[in-house]
Every structure is written in C-alpha cells, then in structure tokens.
Amino acid sequence: YLSTYDIPFQFITSASYQTPPVGFSARWVNYVLSDWTYGVVLIYQSGRPIAAPTAQGTSANPTVASLVFQNTFANRVPGQPLFTVDPNCHCYDPQKTFLLNPNAWEDPPSGQFSASPAYYSDYRTQRRPNESMNFGRTFRLKERVTLNVRAEFSNIFNRAFWNDPTSNNHRAIQAFRPNGTTASGFGWLN
C-alpha cells in the first residue's frame, strides 16, 4: 500500500537575483546600492496521507487483535465521504469543526482481518505550502574583511496551518466544551 511519505504532487523552485551595478556619479552611492541579492524558495505539495483508523471492536464484536494480538485497520464504508469539509478550503473554524467523518469507517467482522490498506490516496492532511524569501549583500571593506548583511523570512505570506486531525480511533466520541469549541474525538483538530 501507499507509504506515509507518498506525495503525488510536489513543486519546488529556488531562484536568486543579484542587482546590477548602478551608474550614479557618487562612488559611495554605487557601492551601497549595487550587488544586492534576492532569493526565494517555494514549495507546493500535496498533503501527507492519513493512516486509516485501527479497528476497535466491542464486547459483542471483538477484533482480531483480541484473538491473535495483531491490530487491523477499520474498513472504509463505500459512498461515505472521508471528510466533513474540504481540509484545504480554509472555510471552516478549526476550533468548532471535526474534520474527519467517523461514519466513513466500520470494524471488520469479528475475528477477521480488514481489507483496508493503511493509507488511501484521497485521505490526506491539509496542504502546507512553504514560501521563504531572503535578501542581503556582502560588503567588502578591506582585502580580508567583509560584512554580510542578510534578512531571511519564513512563511512570508503568513499562511495558517492547523494540526493534523486525530484519526486513530473512529469510535472516539466527538466532544465539545461548554463554549462550543471541540474538545476531543475522531477528527478533532487540537
């Protein structure tokens, strides 16, 4: 089955630009304004796969783990959406929304292993673009003395990312705090 590191789409680019020498009459102005560098590293990629929840079982329907001490995954329910909202849309409040649908999973029959793989290609975390930029210059003061001035910026566009949802137990009860925010359960964004 898929690896936990499966990323079907990945775009990474790095670019650097150095300003050309300027032609002002004052020599010190040319020295200060020339040879600045600007760099950028942009990474856009798919979210990482979320592991299928483990089968939980009940006293009436024990899992294979209680018989052979080997866990198995819950089976995916056909036709049920995996998410309650699109994890990449930023159109929901992560403090009031459970991201994962517990009805999308069911335990395998008693004493049987699951037919489910550990990872599905359409069951992934939120995409997390990574954009970094920098600019700077090295000033040569003497033959053996230089001064490097540099500024580096991570997450330059101030993107918000949520934590990965809790996804191990599809039977975990989804609980709310008195103020209406989520407290725990399957699909909880801590």
Side-chain angles (χ1 to χ4, degrees), residues 154-188:
S154 296
N155 194 14
I156 192 77
F157 299 121
N158 198 25
R159 295 183 186 262
F161 303 115
W162 329 134
N163 288 334
D164 293 343
T166 6
S167 60
N168 190 39
N169 180 357
H170 68 285
R171 291 183 182 243
I173 297 170
Q174 296 178 334
F176 289 90
R177 295 184 181 95
N179 66 358
T181 60
T182 57
S184 64
F186 185 70
W188 176 49

PDB file of all heavy atoms in Angstrom, residues 154-188:
ATOM      1  N   SER A 154      10.645  33.323   6.749  1.00  0.00           N
ATOM      2  CA  SER A 154       9.942  32.052   6.573  1.00  0.00           C
ATOM      3  C   SER A 154       8.444  32.328   6.648  1.00  0.00           C
ATOM      4  O   SER A 154       8.013  33.230   7.357  1.00  0.00           O
ATOM      5  CB  SER A 154      10.317  31.071   7.673  1.00  0.00           C
ATOM      6  OG  SER A 154      11.683  30.759   7.590  1.00  0.00           O
ATOM      7  N   ASN A 155       7.658  31.544   5.928  1.00  0.00           N
ATOM      8  CA  ASN A 155       6.206  31.737   5.870  1.00  0.00           C
ATOM      9  C   ASN A 155       5.890  33.202   5.572  1.00  0.00           C
ATOM     10  O   ASN A 155       5.153  33.867   6.283  1.00  0.00           O
ATOM     11  CB  ASN A 155       5.538  31.286   7.167  1.00  0.00           C
ATOM     12  CG  ASN A 155       4.038  31.152   7.024  1.00  0.00           C
ATOM     13  OD1 ASN A 155       3.485  31.142   5.934  1.00  0.00           O
ATOM     14  ND2 ASN A 155       3.363  31.058   8.159  1.00  0.00           N
ATOM     15  N   ILE A 156       6.470  33.693   4.491  1.00  0.00           N
ATOM     16  CA  ILE A 156       6.422  35.112   4.138  1.00  0.00           C
ATOM     17  C   ILE A 156       4.991  35.615   3.934  1.00  0.00           C
ATOM     18  O   ILE A 156       4.693  36.779   4.176  1.00  0.00           O
ATOM     19  CB  ILE A 156       7.311  35.393   2.899  1.00  0.00           C
ATOM     20  CG1 ILE A 156       7.509  36.892   2.687  1.00  0.00           C
ATOM     21  CG2 ILE A 156       6.753  34.775   1.661  1.00  0.00           C
ATOM     22  CD1 ILE A 156       8.476  37.510   3.600  1.00  0.00           C
ATOM     23  N   PHE A 157       4.066  34.755   3.519  1.00  0.00           N
ATOM     24  CA  PHE A 157       2.687  35.174   3.288  1.00  0.00           C
ATOM     25  C   PHE A 157       1.788  34.895   4.496  1.00  0.00           C
ATOM     26  O   PHE A 157       0.573  35.017   4.405  1.00  0.00           O
ATOM     27  CB  PHE A 157       2.128  34.515   2.032  1.00  0.00           C
ATOM     28  CG  PHE A 157       2.912  34.881   0.801  1.00  0.00           C
ATOM     29  CD1 PHE A 157       3.519  33.907   0.036  1.00  0.00           C
ATOM     30  CD2 PHE A 157       3.063  36.204   0.418  1.00  0.00           C
ATOM     31  CE1 PHE A 157       4.250  34.237  -1.094  1.00  0.00           C
ATOM     32  CE2 PHE A 157       3.795  36.541  -0.710  1.00  0.00           C
ATOM     33  CZ  PHE A 157       4.391  35.562  -1.465  1.00  0.00           C
ATOM     34  N   ASN A 158       2.397  34.503   5.619  1.00  0.00           N
ATOM     35  CA  ASN A 158       1.690  34.310   6.889  1.00  0.00           C
ATOM     36  C   ASN A 158       0.506  33.348   6.749  1.00  0.00           C
ATOM     37  O   ASN A 158      -0.601  33.638   7.169  1.00  0.00           O
ATOM     38  CB  ASN A 158       1.225  35.657   7.452  1.00  0.00           C
ATOM     39  CG  ASN A 158       0.904  35.569   8.921  1.00  0.00           C
ATOM     40  OD1 ASN A 158       1.415  34.716   9.624  1.00  0.00           O
ATOM     41  ND2 ASN A 158       0.046  36.446   9.391  1.00  0.00           N
ATOM     42  N   ARG A 159       0.745  32.207   6.165  1.00  0.00           N
ATOM     43  CA  ARG A 159      -0.312  31.210   5.993  1.00  0.00           C
ATOM     44  C   ARG A 159      -0.596  30.502   7.315  1.00  0.00           C
ATOM     45  O   ARG A 159       0.318  30.206   8.070  1.00  0.00           O
ATOM     46  CB  ARG A 159       0.091  30.193   4.935  1.00  0.00           C
ATOM     47  CG  ARG A 159       0.221  30.786   3.551  1.00  0.00           C
ATOM     48  CD  ARG A 159       0.555  29.687   2.566  1.00  0.00           C
ATOM     49  NE  ARG A 159       0.819  30.181   1.255  1.00  0.00           N
ATOM     50  CZ  ARG A 159      -0.084  30.206   0.269  1.00  0.00           C
ATOM     51  NH1 ARG A 159      -1.309  29.801   0.501  1.00  0.00           N
ATOM     52  NH2 ARG A 159       0.251  30.646  -0.922  1.00  0.00           N
ATOM     53  N   ALA A 160      -1.856  30.209   7.548  1.00  0.00           N
ATOM     54  CA  ALA A 160      -2.270  29.500   8.761  1.00  0.00           C
ATOM     55  C   ALA A 160      -2.419  28.010   8.447  1.00  0.00           C
ATOM     56  O   ALA A 160      -3.016  27.644   7.435  1.00  0.00           O
ATOM     57  CB  ALA A 160      -3.586  30.055   9.274  1.00  0.00           C
ATOM     58  N   PHE A 161      -1.869  27.166   9.306  1.00  0.00           N
ATOM     59  CA  PHE A 161      -1.994  25.720   9.158  1.00  0.00           C
ATOM     60  C   PHE A 161      -2.504  25.140  10.460  1.00  0.00           C
ATOM     61  O   PHE A 161      -2.081  25.542  11.535  1.00  0.00           O
ATOM     62  CB  PHE A 161      -0.637  25.084   8.825  1.00  0.00           C
ATOM     63  CG  PHE A 161      -0.006  25.641   7.584  1.00  0.00           C
ATOM     64  CD1 PHE A 161       1.180  26.350   7.657  1.00  0.00           C
ATOM     65  CD2 PHE A 161      -0.593  25.456   6.354  1.00  0.00           C
ATOM     66  CE1 PHE A 161       1.766  26.861   6.520  1.00  0.00           C
ATOM     67  CE2 PHE A 161      -0.021  25.973   5.211  1.00  0.00           C
ATOM     68  CZ  PHE A 161       1.159  26.674   5.292  1.00  0.00           C
ATOM     69  N   TRP A 162      -3.418  24.182  10.349  1.00  0.00           N
ATOM     70  CA  TRP A 162      -3.918  23.514  11.546  1.00  0.00           C
ATOM     71  C   TRP A 162      -3.077  22.259  11.780  1.00  0.00           C
ATOM     72  O   TRP A 162      -2.437  21.742  10.882  1.00  0.00           O
ATOM     73  CB  TRP A 162      -5.386  23.103  11.406  1.00  0.00           C
ATOM     74  CG  TRP A 162      -6.267  23.949  10.550  1.00  0.00           C
ATOM     75  CD1 TRP A 162      -7.140  23.494   9.609  1.00  0.00           C
ATOM     76  CD2 TRP A 162      -6.407  25.371  10.532  1.00  0.00           C
ATOM     77  NE1 TRP A 162      -7.779  24.542   9.012  1.00  0.00           N
ATOM     78  CE2 TRP A 162      -7.363  25.700   9.556  1.00  0.00           C
ATOM     79  CE3 TRP A 162      -5.813  26.412  11.230  1.00  0.00           C
ATOM     80  CZ2 TRP A 162      -7.739  27.006   9.277  1.00  0.00           C
ATOM     81  CZ3 TRP A 162      -6.183  27.716  10.948  1.00  0.00           C
ATOM     82  CH2 TRP A 162      -7.135  27.995   9.995  1.00  0.00           C
ATOM     83  N   ASN A 163      -3.165  21.749  12.986  1.00  0.00           N
ATOM     84  CA  ASN A 163      -2.535  20.456  13.283  1.00  0.00           C
ATOM     85  C   ASN A 163      -3.285  19.357  12.522  1.00  0.00           C
ATOM     86  O   ASN A 163      -4.419  19.550  12.086  1.00  0.00           O
ATOM     87  CB  ASN A 163      -2.588  20.160  14.779  1.00  0.00           C
ATOM     88  CG  ASN A 163      -1.640  21.029  15.571  1.00  0.00           C
ATOM     89  OD1 ASN A 163      -0.637  21.488  15.048  1.00  0.00           O
ATOM     90  ND2 ASN A 163      -1.955  21.269  16.815  1.00  0.00           N
ATOM     91  N   ASP A 164      -2.668  18.202  12.410  1.00  0.00           N
ATOM     92  CA  ASP A 164      -3.343  17.074  11.784  1.00  0.00           C
ATOM     93  C   ASP A 164      -4.479  16.608  12.697  1.00  0.00           C
ATOM     94  O   ASP A 164      -4.363  16.660  13.927  1.00  0.00           O
ATOM     95  CB  ASP A 164      -2.364  15.927  11.552  1.00  0.00           C
ATOM     96  CG  ASP A 164      -1.310  16.265  10.512  1.00  0.00           C
ATOM     97  OD1 ASP A 164      -1.510  17.232   9.752  1.00  0.00           O
ATOM     98  OD2 ASP A 164      -0.289  15.558  10.462  1.00  0.00           O
ATOM     99  N   PRO A 165      -5.575  16.128  12.119  1.00  0.00           N
ATOM    100  CA  PRO A 165      -6.695  15.675  12.958  1.00  0.00           C
ATOM    101  C   PRO A 165      -6.382  14.358  13.652  1.00  0.00           C
ATOM    102  O   PRO A 165      -5.573  13.568  13.183  1.00  0.00           O
ATOM    103  CB  PRO A 165      -7.835  15.495  11.947  1.00  0.00           C
ATOM    104  CG  PRO A 165      -7.149  15.246  10.652  1.00  0.00           C
ATOM    105  CD  PRO A 165      -5.860  16.007  10.692  1.00  0.00           C
ATOM    106  N   THR A 166      -7.043  14.137  14.793  1.00  0.00           N
ATOM    107  CA  THR A 166      -6.911  12.849  15.481  1.00  0.00           C
ATOM    108  C   THR A 166      -7.636  11.808  14.650  1.00  0.00           C
ATOM    109  O   THR A 166      -8.796  11.978  14.322  1.00  0.00           O
ATOM    110  CB  THR A 166      -7.552  12.880  16.872  1.00  0.00           C
ATOM    111  OG1 THR A 166      -8.223  14.075  17.089  1.00  0.00           O
ATOM    112  CG2 THR A 166      -6.604  12.627  17.965  1.00  0.00           C
ATOM    113  N   SER A 167      -6.935  10.728  14.319  1.00  0.00           N
ATOM    114  CA  SER A 167      -7.503   9.807  13.328  1.00  0.00           C
ATOM    115  C   SER A 167      -7.325   8.333  13.659  1.00  0.00           C
ATOM    116  O   SER A 167      -7.594   7.489  12.811  1.00  0.00           O
ATOM    117  CB  SER A 167      -6.855  10.087  11.968  1.00  0.00           C
ATOM    118  OG  SER A 167      -5.464   9.885  12.044  1.00  0.00           O
ATOM    119  N   ASN A 168      -6.912   7.988  14.852  1.00  0.00           N
ATOM    120  CA  ASN A 168      -6.621   6.590  15.162  1.00  0.00           C
ATOM    121  C   ASN A 168      -7.865   5.776  15.521  1.00  0.00           C
ATOM    122  O   ASN A 168      -7.972   4.620  15.165  1.00  0.00           O
ATOM    123  CB  ASN A 168      -5.599   6.509  16.291  1.00  0.00           C
ATOM    124  CG  ASN A 168      -5.096   5.099  16.488  1.00  0.00           C
ATOM    125  OD1 ASN A 168      -4.876   4.373  15.527  1.00  0.00           O
ATOM    126  ND2 ASN A 168      -4.935   4.697  17.728  1.00  0.00           N
ATOM    127  N   ASN A 169      -8.820   6.379  16.214  1.00  0.00           N
ATOM    128  CA  ASN A 169      -9.983   5.650  16.720  1.00  0.00           C
ATOM    129  C   ASN A 169     -11.261   6.260  16.146  1.00  0.00           C
ATOM    130  O   ASN A 169     -11.711   7.305  16.610  1.00  0.00           O
ATOM    131  CB  ASN A 169      -9.994   5.704  18.250  1.00  0.00           C
ATOM    132  CG  ASN A 169     -11.157   4.966  18.866  1.00  0.00           C
ATOM    133  OD1 ASN A 169     -12.023   4.437  18.177  1.00  0.00           O
ATOM    134  ND2 ASN A 169     -11.197   4.956  20.188  1.00  0.00           N
ATOM    135  N   HIS A 170     -11.869   5.599  15.156  1.00  0.00           N
ATOM    136  CA  HIS A 170     -13.081   6.144  14.538  1.00  0.00           C
ATOM    137  C   HIS A 170     -14.291   6.082  15.465  1.00  0.00           C
ATOM    138  O   HIS A 170     -15.310   6.691  15.201  1.00  0.00           O
ATOM    139  CB  HIS A 170     -13.385   5.424  13.218  1.00  0.00           C
ATOM    140  CG  HIS A 170     -13.787   3.992  13.387  1.00  0.00           C
ATOM    141  ND1 HIS A 170     -12.883   3.004  13.700  1.00  0.00           N
ATOM    142  CD2 HIS A 170     -14.988   3.386  13.291  1.00  0.00           C
ATOM    143  CE1 HIS A 170     -13.502   1.843  13.783  1.00  0.00           C
ATOM    144  NE2 HIS A 170     -14.785   2.054  13.540  1.00  0.00           N
ATOM    145  N   ARG A 171     -14.188   5.387  16.563  1.00  0.00           N
ATOM    146  CA  ARG A 171     -15.280   5.326  17.551  1.00  0.00           C
ATOM    147  C   ARG A 171     -15.113   6.322  18.690  1.00  0.00           C
ATOM    148  O   ARG A 171     -15.958   6.391  19.571  1.00  0.00           O
ATOM    149  CB  ARG A 171     -15.370   3.918  18.130  1.00  0.00           C
ATOM    150  CG  ARG A 171     -15.865   2.915  17.120  1.00  0.00           C
ATOM    151  CD  ARG A 171     -15.998   1.561  17.790  1.00  0.00           C
ATOM    152  NE  ARG A 171     -16.424   0.589  16.832  1.00  0.00           N
ATOM    153  CZ  ARG A 171     -17.576  -0.070  16.918  1.00  0.00           C
ATOM    154  NH1 ARG A 171     -18.379   0.167  17.910  1.00  0.00           N
ATOM    155  NH2 ARG A 171     -17.887  -0.951  16.001  1.00  0.00           N
ATOM    156  N   ALA A 172     -14.028   7.095  18.677  1.00  0.00           N
ATOM    157  CA  ALA A 172     -13.823   8.095  19.734  1.00  0.00           C
ATOM    158  C   ALA A 172     -14.950   9.127  19.672  1.00  0.00           C
ATOM    159  O   ALA A 172     -15.237   9.696  18.624  1.00  0.00           O
ATOM    160  CB  ALA A 172     -12.465   8.774  19.567  1.00  0.00           C
ATOM    161  N   ILE A 173     -15.584   9.349  20.793  1.00  0.00           N
ATOM    162  CA  ILE A 173     -16.746  10.239  20.857  1.00  0.00           C
ATOM    163  C   ILE A 173     -16.305  11.678  20.642  1.00  0.00           C
ATOM    164  O   ILE A 173     -15.364  12.156  21.277  1.00  0.00           O
ATOM    165  CB  ILE A 173     -17.472  10.077  22.210  1.00  0.00           C
ATOM    166  CG1 ILE A 173     -18.007   8.650  22.325  1.00  0.00           C
ATOM    167  CG2 ILE A 173     -18.589  11.097  22.355  1.00  0.00           C
ATOM    168  CD1 ILE A 173     -18.522   8.283  23.683  1.00  0.00           C
ATOM    169  N   GLN A 174     -17.013  12.366  19.761  1.00  0.00           N
ATOM    170  CA  GLN A 174     -16.707  13.766  19.471  1.00  0.00           C
ATOM    171  C   GLN A 174     -17.355  14.634  20.541  1.00  0.00           C
ATOM    172  O   GLN A 174     -18.573  14.702  20.654  1.00  0.00           O
ATOM    173  CB  GLN A 174     -17.206  14.133  18.075  1.00  0.00           C
ATOM    174  CG  GLN A 174     -16.493  13.352  16.990  1.00  0.00           C
ATOM    175  CD  GLN A 174     -16.997  13.649  15.598  1.00  0.00           C
ATOM    176  OE1 GLN A 174     -18.141  14.040  15.419  1.00  0.00           O
ATOM    177  NE2 GLN A 174     -16.160  13.442  14.601  1.00  0.00           N
ATOM    178  N   ALA A 175     -16.509  15.288  21.348  1.00  0.00           N
ATOM    179  CA  ALA A 175     -16.990  16.069  22.494  1.00  0.00           C
ATOM    180  C   ALA A 175     -16.723  17.559  22.288  1.00  0.00           C
ATOM    181  O   ALA A 175     -15.734  17.943  21.668  1.00  0.00           O
ATOM    182  CB  ALA A 175     -16.302  15.589  23.772  1.00  0.00           C
ATOM    183  N   PHE A 176     -17.624  18.363  22.848  1.00  0.00           N
ATOM    184  CA  PHE A 176     -17.498  19.821  22.792  1.00  0.00           C
ATOM    185  C   PHE A 176     -17.343  20.381  24.198  1.00  0.00           C
ATOM    186  O   PHE A 176     -17.856  19.822  25.162  1.00  0.00           O
ATOM    187  CB  PHE A 176     -18.753  20.439  22.154  1.00  0.00           C
ATOM    188  CG  PHE A 176     -18.879  20.178  20.681  1.00  0.00           C
ATOM    189  CD1 PHE A 176     -19.545  19.054  20.218  1.00  0.00           C
ATOM    190  CD2 PHE A 176     -18.336  21.052  19.763  1.00  0.00           C
ATOM    191  CE1 PHE A 176     -19.662  18.813  18.862  1.00  0.00           C
ATOM    192  CE2 PHE A 176     -18.453  20.821  18.400  1.00  0.00           C
ATOM    193  CZ  PHE A 176     -19.119  19.691  17.954  1.00  0.00           C
ATOM    194  N   ARG A 177     -16.656  21.497  24.303  1.00  0.00           N
ATOM    195  CA  ARG A 177     -16.539  22.233  25.557  1.00  0.00           C
ATOM    196  C   ARG A 177     -17.799  23.081  25.741  1.00  0.00           C
ATOM    197  O   ARG A 177     -18.549  23.308  24.791  1.00  0.00           O
ATOM    198  CB  ARG A 177     -15.301  23.125  25.528  1.00  0.00           C
ATOM    199  CG  ARG A 177     -13.998  22.357  25.469  1.00  0.00           C
ATOM    200  CD  ARG A 177     -12.796  23.318  25.539  1.00  0.00           C
ATOM    201  NE  ARG A 177     -11.563  22.587  25.454  1.00  0.00           N
ATOM    202  CZ  ARG A 177     -10.873  22.377  24.330  1.00  0.00           C
ATOM    203  NH1 ARG A 177     -11.304  22.872  23.183  1.00  0.00           N
ATOM    204  NH2 ARG A 177      -9.763  21.690  24.342  1.00  0.00           N
ATOM    205  N   PRO A 178     -18.034  23.606  26.949  1.00  0.00           N
ATOM    206  CA  PRO A 178     -19.221  24.454  27.181  1.00  0.00           C
ATOM    207  C   PRO A 178     -19.271  25.693  26.270  1.00  0.00           C
ATOM    208  O   PRO A 178     -20.353  26.178  25.950  1.00  0.00           O
ATOM    209  CB  PRO A 178     -19.089  24.874  28.649  1.00  0.00           C
ATOM    210  CG  PRO A 178     -18.277  23.787  29.275  1.00  0.00           C
ATOM    211  CD  PRO A 178     -17.337  23.319  28.200  1.00  0.00           C
ATOM    212  N   ASN A 179     -18.118  26.193  25.826  1.00  0.00           N
ATOM    213  CA  ASN A 179     -18.110  27.381  24.961  1.00  0.00           C
ATOM    214  C   ASN A 179     -18.332  27.038  23.486  1.00  0.00           C
ATOM    215  O   ASN A 179     -18.263  27.913  22.632  1.00  0.00           O
ATOM    216  CB  ASN A 179     -16.812  28.174  25.136  1.00  0.00           C
ATOM    217  CG  ASN A 179     -15.589  27.422  24.657  1.00  0.00           C
ATOM    218  OD1 ASN A 179     -15.670  26.283  24.209  1.00  0.00           O
ATOM    219  ND2 ASN A 179     -14.430  28.051  24.776  1.00  0.00           N
ATOM    220  N   GLY A 180     -18.571  25.764  23.150  1.00  0.00           N
ATOM    221  CA  GLY A 180     -18.872  25.361  21.781  1.00  0.00           C
ATOM    222  C   GLY A 180     -17.678  24.917  20.965  1.00  0.00           C
ATOM    223  O   GLY A 180     -17.829  24.514  19.820  1.00  0.00           O
ATOM    224  N   THR A 181     -16.485  24.966  21.522  1.00  0.00           N
ATOM    225  CA  THR A 181     -15.305  24.513  20.781  1.00  0.00           C
ATOM    226  C   THR A 181     -15.120  23.010  20.972  1.00  0.00           C
ATOM    227  O   THR A 181     -15.577  22.432  21.952  1.00  0.00           O
ATOM    228  CB  THR A 181     -14.025  25.247  21.239  1.00  0.00           C
ATOM    229  OG1 THR A 181     -13.821  25.000  22.635  1.00  0.00           O
ATOM    230  CG2 THR A 181     -14.151  26.751  20.997  1.00  0.00           C
ATOM    231  N   THR A 182     -14.438  22.383  20.019  1.00  0.00           N
ATOM    232  CA  THR A 182     -14.226  20.939  20.086  1.00  0.00           C
ATOM    233  C   THR A 182     -13.223  20.597  21.183  1.00  0.00           C
ATOM    234  O   THR A 182     -12.286  21.346  21.432  1.00  0.00           O
ATOM    235  CB  THR A 182     -13.716  20.403  18.741  1.00  0.00           C
ATOM    236  OG1 THR A 182     -12.518  21.089  18.393  1.00  0.00           O
ATOM    237  CG2 THR A 182     -14.748  20.598  17.644  1.00  0.00           C
ATOM    238  N   ALA A 183     -13.433  19.463  21.827  1.00  0.00           N
ATOM    239  CA  ALA A 183     -12.565  19.063  22.945  1.00  0.00           C
ATOM    240  C   ALA A 183     -11.780  17.794  22.634  1.00  0.00           C
ATOM    241  O   ALA A 183     -10.610  17.682  23.004  1.00  0.00           O
ATOM    242  CB  ALA A 183     -13.397  18.858  24.207  1.00  0.00           C
ATOM    243  N   SER A 184     -12.415  16.825  21.990  1.00  0.00           N
ATOM    244  CA  SER A 184     -11.744  15.555  21.678  1.00  0.00           C
ATOM    245  C   SER A 184     -12.635  14.739  20.759  1.00  0.00           C
ATOM    246  O   SER A 184     -13.800  15.047  20.587  1.00  0.00           O
ATOM    247  CB  SER A 184     -11.437  14.772  22.956  1.00  0.00           C
ATOM    248  OG  SER A 184     -12.654  14.405  23.585  1.00  0.00           O
ATOM    249  N   GLY A 185     -12.064  13.684  20.224  1.00  0.00           N
ATOM    250  CA  GLY A 185     -12.834  12.778  19.385  1.00  0.00           C
ATOM    251  C   GLY A 185     -12.216  12.599  18.009  1.00  0.00           C
ATOM    252  O   GLY A 185     -11.237  13.244  17.663  1.00  0.00           O
ATOM    253  N   PHE A 186     -12.805  11.715  17.239  1.00  0.00           N
ATOM    254  CA  PHE A 186     -12.304  11.413  15.906  1.00  0.00           C
ATOM    255  C   PHE A 186     -12.445  12.637  15.013  1.00  0.00           C
ATOM    256  O   PHE A 186     -13.521  13.212  14.881  1.00  0.00           O
ATOM    257  CB  PHE A 186     -13.081  10.222  15.320  1.00  0.00           C
ATOM    258  CG  PHE A 186     -12.570   9.761  13.996  1.00  0.00           C
ATOM    259  CD1 PHE A 186     -11.331   9.126  13.892  1.00  0.00           C
ATOM    260  CD2 PHE A 186     -13.301   9.950  12.833  1.00  0.00           C
ATOM    261  CE1 PHE A 186     -10.852   8.683  12.668  1.00  0.00           C
ATOM    262  CE2 PHE A 186     -12.836   9.511  11.612  1.00  0.00           C
ATOM    263  CZ  PHE A 186     -11.604   8.878  11.534  1.00  0.00           C
ATOM    264  N   GLY A 187     -11.352  13.056  14.394  1.00  0.00           N
ATOM    265  CA  GLY A 187     -11.367  14.210  13.520  1.00  0.00           C
ATOM    266  C   GLY A 187     -11.118  15.531  14.226  1.00  0.00           C
ATOM    267  O   GLY A 187     -11.202  16.599  13.627  1.00  0.00           O
ATOM    268  N   TRP A 188     -10.761  15.474  15.520  1.00  0.00           N
ATOM    269  CA  TRP A 188     -10.518  16.688  16.305  1.00  0.00           C
ATOM    270  C   TRP A 188      -9.219  17.343  15.879  1.00  0.00           C
ATOM    271  O   TRP A 188      -8.188  16.690  15.716  1.00  0.00           O
ATOM    272  CB  TRP A 188     -10.463  16.318  17.783  1.00  0.00           C
ATOM    273  CG  TRP A 188     -10.126  17.435  18.709  1.00  0.00           C
ATOM    274  CD1 TRP A 188     -10.685  18.676  18.745  1.00  0.00           C
ATOM    275  CD2 TRP A 188      -9.176  17.401  19.779  1.00  0.00           C
ATOM    276  NE1 TRP A 188     -10.148  19.421  19.760  1.00  0.00           N
ATOM    277  CE2 TRP A 188      -9.207  18.664  20.421  1.00  0.00           C
ATOM    278  CE3 TRP A 188      -8.293  16.431  20.248  1.00  0.00           C
ATOM    279  CZ2 TRP A 188      -8.394  18.975  21.498  1.00  0.00           C
ATOM    280  CZ3 TRP A 188      -7.512  16.748  21.330  1.00  0.00           C
ATOM    281  CH2 TRP A 188      -7.556  18.010  21.945  1.00  0.00           C
TER     282      TRP A 188
END
